[in-house]
Amino acid sequence: MSLDWIYYAISWILLTWHSAWDAIGVPVAAVLGTNWSWILAIVFLVVTVRVILFPVFVKQIKSQRAMQALQPKVKELQEKHKGDRETLQKEMMELYRKEKANPLMGCLPMFLQIPVFLGLFHVLRRLDPAKEAKSLYGWTAEQFDSASSATIFTAPIAGKFGSTADELARLGANGTTVKVIAGILVLVMMGTTYLTSRQMILKTGWAEDPQQRMVQRLMLYGIPLSLLISGSIFPIGVIIYWVTNNLFTLGQQQWVLRKFPPLVTNKGVTGNKPATTPGRGPVQPAKTGGFLNRNKPAAQVPAKPAAPKVAGPKPGAKPANPKKGPAKRQG
């Protein structure tokens, strides 16, 4: 299957944003060793893609809430079919089907961004001044030459940590500078990738399902560590895309999690159903404040019955029950 349509789409968005910044007046020449119009074009490629995928991200959050709500039932199945992994998997799949929950929905936004990443990787890898087909994917020769010479702090955006001496010579780049800039960006890419996964796990909690927990651990540790190796073959422009995407994700997740926070019970993050006790209705959250409203409501002290009010005597009236004075002596 040809991926040319992805390359054309990515090129169109990238070139459109570059033209927009050029029209606004962002300098074409390098400032501080950086061609900001091309850097901003990559940044706003991220913004464009993330705005398009925002509804999918909201569905991801809702799916995670649904999975949390099923955790008590998942735990019951694990206890019931302990030692029988095959039956456990069948029962869990049936539970997910019945409740219309999709364990893979949490990874969907990332999967949808893979074509964008691959498209940008392919387009930026083509930025070699020695190439003759400069007009491929809708580029003009002028745009191709401009992007080929674009730099960030004097390192070309088409260069990479593992660039060969010939590649660096064609790009007119210094090998040490490229390695330093690319190395720093790879470390930032790893750190922000770790933070995005950690942010979500801290807010939603670790899954009870072993498969889901394994996916969470892979997202938290496996992917950032893999970038240490794969980052050496990424063009610097692609790393800028990845870092920007991670920063966008951190801000977007923080906003969504504040607007739709996970429900918290006395056992931590569990799901959408309030905790209950046998024979009683749902436990009502305390209204006295405290961390995550966990404080118990103050015990109700029965009010003492008020003493009946006795009207005072009217002015000039004799007492109703006059005290008897001392008896008079009989003469």
Side-chain angles (χ1 to χ4, degrees):
M1 179 179 177
S2 176
L3 297 179
D4 283 358
W5 67 273
I6 294 178
Y7 306 147
Y8 274 102
I10 297 303
S11 295
W12 182 83
I13 297 173
L14 195 64
L15 295 174
T16 299
W17 277 113
H18 176 261
S19 299
W21 295 117
D22 189 25
I24 291 173
V26 175
V28 176
V31 177
L32 298 177
T34 305
N35 296 95
W36 293 105
S37 59
W38 283 109
I39 302 302
L40 288 174
I42 295 173
V43 170
F44 276 81
L45 168 64
V46 174
V47 174
T48 303
V49 172
R50 295 308 297 267
V51 168
I52 294 173
L53 293 180
F54 183 76
V56 179
F57 182 80
V58 173
K59 289 184 178 180
Q60 175 194 23
I61 296 296
K62 291 180 178 179
S63 177
Q64 289 173 338
R65 297 291 188 272
M67 293 298 297
Q68 291 168 14
L70 292 177
Q71 291 309 306
K73 294 183 179 180
V74 170
K75 196 168 184 178
E76 290 178 5
L77 290 176
Q78 290 171 344
E79 293 293 332
K80 180 179 178 181
H81 302 290
K82 186 179 295 184
D84 189 352
R85 188 173 184 83
E86 184 177 352
T87 303
L88 175 61
Q89 293 300 322
K90 290 181 179 179
E91 292 289 336
M92 289 178 59
M93 289 300 103
E94 178 63 22
L95 175 64
Y96 293 150
R97 185 194 64 78
K98 182 179 178 182
E99 299 294 336
K100 297 180 180 180
N102 187 352
L104 299 178
M105 187 66 190
C107 302
L108 184 59
M110 182 185 69
F111 289 148
L112 292 178
Q113 291 182 75
I114 290 177
V116 179
F117 171 81
L118 294 176
L120 183 64
F121 177 84
H122 178 80
V123 168
L124 293 184
R125 192 176 58 174
R126 288 189 61 256
L127 296 179
D128 186 340
K131 287 189 177 295
E132 296 180 359
K134 297 182 179 182
S135 60
L136 196 61
Y137 308 134
W139 291 66
T140 64
E142 183 181 0
Q143 291 170 330
F144 186 93
D145 291 336
S146 175
S148 297
S149 60
T151 58
I152 176 170
F153 303 118
T154 71
I157 62 174
K160 51 185 180 291
F161 189 89
S163 291
T164 64
D166 289 340
E167 290 172 340
L168 293 172
R170 290 197 298 270
L171 293 171
N174 179 278
T176 302
T177 301
V178 171
K179 281 181 169 54
V180 169
I181 298 299
I184 292 173
L185 288 174
V186 167
L187 292 177
V188 175
M189 177 174 62
M190 293 173 61
T192 52
T193 300
Y194 169 81
L195 289 176
T196 55
S197 298
R198 182 174 181 270
Q199 180 191 51
M200 183 61 73
I201 291 174
L202 288 179
K203 289 291 184 180
T204 59
W206 287 95
E208 295 287 344
D209 179 14
Q211 286 188 337
Q212 288 295 305
R213 185 179 288 262
M214 182 178 65
V215 171
Q216 287 179 321
R217 290 189 183 280
L218 176 63
M219 297 286 290
L220 186 61
Y221 302 112
I223 293 180
L225 288 175
S226 69
L227 295 176
L228 186 62
I229 299 174
S230 57
S232 64
I233 65 172
F234 292 164
I236 289 176
V238 172
I239 302 176
I240 294 172
Y241 170 89
W242 194 304
V243 170
T244 305
N245 188 63
N246 286 344
L247 295 175
F248 195 100
T249 299
L250 284 170
Q252 184 173 265
Q253 286 183 169
Q254 186 67 17
W255 179 82
V256 172
L257 291 170
R258 282 187 177 183
K259 191 172 181 63
F260 307 104
L263 294 182
V264 180
T265 67
N266 57 350
K267 292 185 180 180
V269 179
T270 55
N272 296 328
K273 296 182 180 180
T276 59
T277 54
R280 297 183 182 180
V283 177
Q284 297 298 326
K287 296 183 180 180
T288 55
F291 181 67
L292 294 175
N293 287 333
R294 291 183 182 177
N295 293 349
K296 295 181 179 180
Q300 298 294 330
V301 180
K304 295 181 179 180
K309 295 182 179 181
V310 179
K314 295 181 179 180
K318 293 182 179 182
N321 296 311
K323 295 181 179 180
K324 296 181 180 180
K328 295 182 180 180
R329 292 183 180 182
Q330 299 294 331

